[in-house]
Amino acid sequence: DLASTTTSSPKSKEDQVVNGHDEKENNPFAEYMWMENEEDFNRQVEEELQEQEFLDRCFQEMLEEEDQDWFIPSRDLPQGMGQLQQQLNGLSVGDGHSTEDILSKSNLNPDAKEFVPGVKY
C-alpha cells in the first residue's frame, strides 16, 4: 500500500506540469494573444487617441467661446475707459463725513413713522 502511494505521487506531479506550465492553464500565451491581431490593436489605439484629441480640441473651443461671452473690463473696454474705471474704483460714498456728523446736522424727525408707499396716514 505504501509503495503504491509513492509511485502515484510523482506521476501526479508530471501530469500537473508540462513544459514548465500548469496543465490547468489553458493557453500559456494568453497574455500575448493581442499580438495576433496587432494591426487591429494598433488601429483601435490610434482611434482612441484621435477621439481623445478631438474631445480636447472641442473642450478648448468651448472654453474660448465662454471667455468671449464674459465681460472683462481690461480686455473689452477702450484704454481711456480703463483709466476712468480706476478713478471710479477709488471713489467712495461719503468721503470726509462721519456718520455722527451727518446725523447731528440732520433736521429729520427720528421718531417719525416709516414711509410706506400707497398707505395714507
Side-chain angles (χ1 to χ4, degrees):
D1 205 26
L2 190 56
S4 66
T5 57
T6 55
T7 57
S8 65
S9 70
K11 185 174 183 193
S12 65
K13 278 187 179 179
E14 284 177 17
D15 288 344
Q16 285 180 354
V17 178
V18 177
N19 293 333
H21 296 285
D22 288 343
E23 195 173 295
K24 295 175 185 173
E25 191 176 332
N26 293 339
N27 186 354
F29 302 104
E31 62 184 286
Y32 303 104
M33 289 308 290
W34 66 270
M35 291 181 180
E36 182 180 14
N37 300 319
E38 190 171 358
E39 291 83 19
D40 292 338
F41 179 79
N42 287 342
R43 183 181 43 75
Q44 180 184 358
V45 169
E46 282 184 33
E47 285 175 1
E48 290 174 4
L49 289 173
Q50 288 172 350
E51 183 178 344
Q52 184 61 42
E53 185 180 323
F54 175 74
L55 289 174
D56 289 345
R57 280 197 318 262
C58 288
F59 190 69
Q60 189 61 37
E61 280 183 31
M62 183 188 71
L63 288 176
E64 288 171 3
E65 286 177 11
E66 192 174 269
D67 280 348
Q68 290 174 359
D69 291 343
W70 287 92
F71 175 74
I72 302 172
S74 61
R75 179 190 71 190
D76 297 333
L77 289 177
Q79 197 64 17
M81 293 295 286
Q83 293 171 354
L84 180 62
Q85 185 183 10
Q86 287 177 351
Q87 290 174 353
L88 288 174
N89 289 340
L91 297 177
S92 65
V93 177
D95 267 347
H97 299 290
S98 66
T99 308
E100 296 83 21
D101 197 26
I102 293 172
L103 289 177
S104 66
K105 294 179 181 176
S106 172
N107 57 3
L108 297 175
N109 180 1
D111 299 326
K113 291 184 180 181
E114 183 178 345
F115 171 73
V116 180
V119 176
K120 295 184 179 181
Y121 295 102

